[in-house]
Amino acid sequence: MIVIEHQPKRVEVTVYAEFTLADYKEFESVVNDAIRFEGPVDLLFDLREMADFTLDVAWEDIVFARAHANDFSRIAVLTDSQWVAWSAWLSQIFVRAEMRIFAEETEARAWLAEDAGAEGEAV
């Protein structure tokens, strides 16, 4: 199960229990709409409550990342799992966004806010 929040220039996703292909398709739909109307967006993935993900999700993530290599500014991943952190770093091969792994939500949000503040100053 996932919960998705869309804010200006940011999509936040929290995954609970198993991350399924249906969940991933819902995420793709929200992100595609955000990119279409806002341009590159930041992502905040909270995977601390994720118990597992299906193989089709892993494959879909690779396909999606390759199709959207330039559509993300920053990607923050919240996790306590070394395996999930390693998987996130591996997926960075396909996207040009800056990606960081965080254990603390406040640090992840602060890092994403830094980028948003810099963009506001540049305009």
Side-chain angles (χ1 to χ4, degrees):
M1 182 180 115
I2 63 171
V3 175
I4 300 173
E5 283 189 48
H6 177 215
Q7 303 171 7
K9 298 296 243 175
R10 181 182 304 165
V11 175
E12 298 182 3
V13 180
T14 304
V15 179
Y16 298 96
E18 185 176 61
F19 196 11
T20 66
L21 185 57
D23 294 332
Y24 200 91
K25 294 290 188 180
E26 182 181 346
F27 158 75
E28 284 180 326
S29 177
V30 171
V31 169
N32 284 331
D33 287 346
I35 292 167
R36 185 175 318 122
F37 295 108
E38 300 172 28
V41 296
D42 290 337
L43 296 177
L44 174 62
F45 275 105
D46 186 344
L47 304 178
R48 295 173 295 179
E49 299 296 324
M50 182 177 74
D52 197 7
F53 59 91
T54 59
L55 277 179
D56 49 359
V57 166
W59 178 252
E60 189 68 21
D61 186 47
I62 292 169
V63 171
F64 183 77
R66 291 186 74 199
H68 294 280
N70 299 307
D71 292 333
F72 305 107
S73 300
R74 286 185 165 188
I75 302 171
V77 179
L78 281 163
T79 183
D80 299 320
S81 165
Q82 289 293 73
W83 171 250
V84 172
W86 180 83
S87 298
W89 283 114
L90 185 61
S91 69
Q92 189 176 9
I93 293 169
F94 303 109
V95 294
R96 292 188 175 86
E98 187 177 358
M99 180 184 291
R100 290 198 187 164
I101 309 298
F102 296 91
E104 298 295 326
E105 184 174 350
T106 54
E107 292 175 9
R109 290 184 180 283
W111 178 67
L112 290 172
E114 286 173 11
D115 188 51
E119 284 179 11
E121 293 169 10
V123 173

